[in-house]
Amino acid sequence: MPVHDFDDDHAAYARRGGGRSGGGRRARRFDDDEPLLLKRTGPAPTAAVDPDLDRPDDGARWSSWDQAVHGPAPHPDWLVTELAATDTELGVLKTGKEADVHLVRRGIPDTDRSCLLAVKRYREPEHRLFHRDAGYLEGRRVRRSRENRAMEGRTAFGRKMIAGQWAAAEFAALSQLWELGNKLGSIAVPYPVQLLGTELMLEFVGDADEGRAAPRLAALRPDPDLLRRLWDQLVDALVVLARAGLAHGDLSPYNLLMHGERLVLIDLPQVVDVVANPTGRDFLARDVRVVSTWFAARGLPADLVDPAALTAVLLREAGLR
C-alpha cells in the first residue's frame, strides 16, 4: 500500500474546491464566545415549557420551532417547520455525564409528514458539567467581567453560563461545519435544527424507518479497503476543521458515526479554537493521536497514519506553522 502523501492529497483537495477562498483569505474563525447566529438573533429563550399550556390530544408537545434559534438556511426538505407540528418523545438514544440524547418525532397530526430528531439536553447547573471544562473554556470569554468571574469561580450562576456555552458552542460549530460540508463535500455533521436554551435539536443520523442510530466507528471492523477510504475521509474532515481554525477537542472512534460508508462527526460542544486557546495545539495533536492509533490498530500502515506528520499538516492549514 503506498505511503500517504499529505501534500499531494491536499493539493488535490484544494483543486476540488477546498481551502481558502480567493486571495488567500481564511475561513471565518469560529467565535465560541458569542456565536454568529446568536449575535444576529439575540440569546435563545429558556427551554422551560409552561406546564399549564394546552397539549395536543396525544400528550405530545407542540413544536418549539417558533421559539428557537434556527439552523442554516435553506432548511433541508425533510425538516418539519410548520407551527402545527408536534414533538413526540420516543426514548433515549444515549446518556452521558454532561447531556442526554433523546429521540423525538416531529410531525403534523393526521398527516404522514414527519421527521426524526436527536435532541441533546444538557444537564441542569446542579449536575456535574464537563470534567475538563477549564481547559476547553480557555480562549472563550464573555465581555462582562462579572460573568467571567462567575464562570472561573464555578458559582451556580457561572455553571449555568457554562452549560449555555456548551450548547451554543456546539450549535454554532455544527452550523459552520454544515455549511462548509455543503460547499466542499469534505466533512459531514448532523444538521443543527434548532437551539433553545440548553436544548439542541439535531438531524437524526441512522435508519429513520426503524429509529436505529448509525453505529459508532468504535463498534465496527471495516475491511482493509473501506478502512483506507474512511481514513481518507477523516483526514479531509480534519483539514476542513483546521482551515476554520478549529479542533474537535475530544475526537475518538466513539465520536464518529458511520452512515452507510460515510463518516459523520458528532459531539462538538468542546470544539477548540486552536489559535485563541493557549493549549489548542495540544488538543489538536491529541485528536490526531487518538484516531491514528485506532486506525493503525485496525491494520493501516504506521507511515500512512503517522500522527506527527498529520498534526504538522493540520497546524499549517490552521496557519500556525
Side-chain angles (χ1 to χ4, degrees):
M1 188 172 290
V3 174
H4 193 71
D5 188 326
F6 291 113
D7 291 331
D8 288 346
D9 275 6
H10 296 297
Y13 173 86
R15 290 193 295 272
R16 292 198 304 270
R20 299 175 175 83
S21 57
R25 293 179 58 192
R26 297 181 54 198
R28 184 196 304 272
R29 187 172 299 286
F30 171 66
D31 180 354
D32 54 5
D33 170 8
E34 291 183 80
L36 179 62
L37 286 164
L38 299 188
K39 287 178 178 176
R40 288 202 299 261
T41 61
T46 175
V49 176
D50 185 345
D52 295 328
L53 289 176
D54 289 337
R55 287 177 176 268
D57 292 339
D58 61 1
R61 295 186 184 276
W62 294 112
S63 167
S64 55
W65 175 257
D66 60 332
Q67 306 171 46
V69 178
H70 301 158
H75 308 306
D77 292 340
W78 55 261
L79 179 60
V80 175
T81 61
E82 289 86 344
L83 299 185
T86 61
D87 291 343
T88 303
E89 299 274 343
L90 300 180
V92 177
L93 290 173
K94 175 190 173 186
T95 60
K97 295 177 180 178
E98 290 81 31
D100 294 332
V101 182
H102 299 253
L103 182 63
V104 167
R105 181 177 297 281
R106 173 170 289 176
I108 302 175
D110 302 321
T111 76
D112 60 359
R113 178 151 168 73
S114 68
C115 63
L116 284 182
L117 302 174
V119 181
K120 191 169 187 177
R121 294 172 181 145
Y122 284 88
R123 299 288 188 182
E124 294 299 321
E126 62 267 21
H127 292 281
R128 184 170 181 263
L129 292 172
F130 281 72
H131 59 291
R132 296 187 300 273
D133 62 357
Y136 290 115
L137 289 171
E138 286 292 330
R140 296 185 188 178
R141 292 290 182 266
V142 295
R143 290 191 174 93
R144 293 179 291 277
S145 60
R146 174 176 175 264
E147 281 81 351
N148 283 329
R149 289 195 299 271
M151 290 169 60
E152 291 166 358
R154 300 303 191 270
T155 66
F157 172 62
R159 292 196 303 272
K160 187 173 183 179
M161 284 199 65
I162 291 170
Q165 274 209 356
W166 290 126
E170 182 162 25
F171 181 75
L174 287 170
S175 296
Q176 181 179 0
L177 295 175
W178 169 266
E179 292 182 311
L180 286 172
N182 274 352
K183 179 180 178 182
L184 306 177
S186 301
I187 188 169
V189 297
Y191 177 75
V193 172
Q194 66 178 57
L195 174 68
L196 186 59
T198 56
E199 180 182 270
L200 179 63
M201 283 192 170
L202 306 169
E203 172 188 4
F204 172 73
V205 180
D207 186 330
D209 292 334
E210 298 187 13
R212 184 174 62 246
R216 296 173 185 272
L217 181 61
L220 303 176
R221 295 295 183 270
D223 64 54
D225 289 341
L226 178 56
L227 189 69
R228 173 59 190 268
R229 294 198 301 274
L230 293 175
W231 172 253
D232 290 340
Q233 285 185 40
L234 181 57
V235 170
D236 279 349
L238 291 175
V239 168
V240 172
L241 279 167
R243 288 176 175 170
L246 303 176
H248 184 285
D250 194 27
L251 187 61
S252 79
Y254 293 94
N255 290 333
L256 292 164
L257 300 182
M258 191 160 148
H259 193 212
E261 295 190 357
R262 179 69 162 154
L263 280 184
V264 181
L265 274 71
I266 62 169
D267 292 339
L268 286 142
Q270 71 294 307
V271 65
V272 174
D273 186 318
V274 295
V275 175
N277 191 311
T279 56
R281 294 171 184 244
D282 296 333
F283 280 114
L284 185 151
R286 187 183 67 186
D287 282 352
V288 172
R289 184 171 61 252
V290 170
V291 292
S292 296
T293 299
W294 188 88
F295 275 89
R298 298 306 180 275
L300 286 189
D303 55 353
L304 174 66
V305 297
D306 180 4
L310 179 53
T311 298
V313 167
L314 297 177
L315 289 173
R316 286 200 303 271
E317 296 291 346
L320 295 176
R321 281 190 179 179

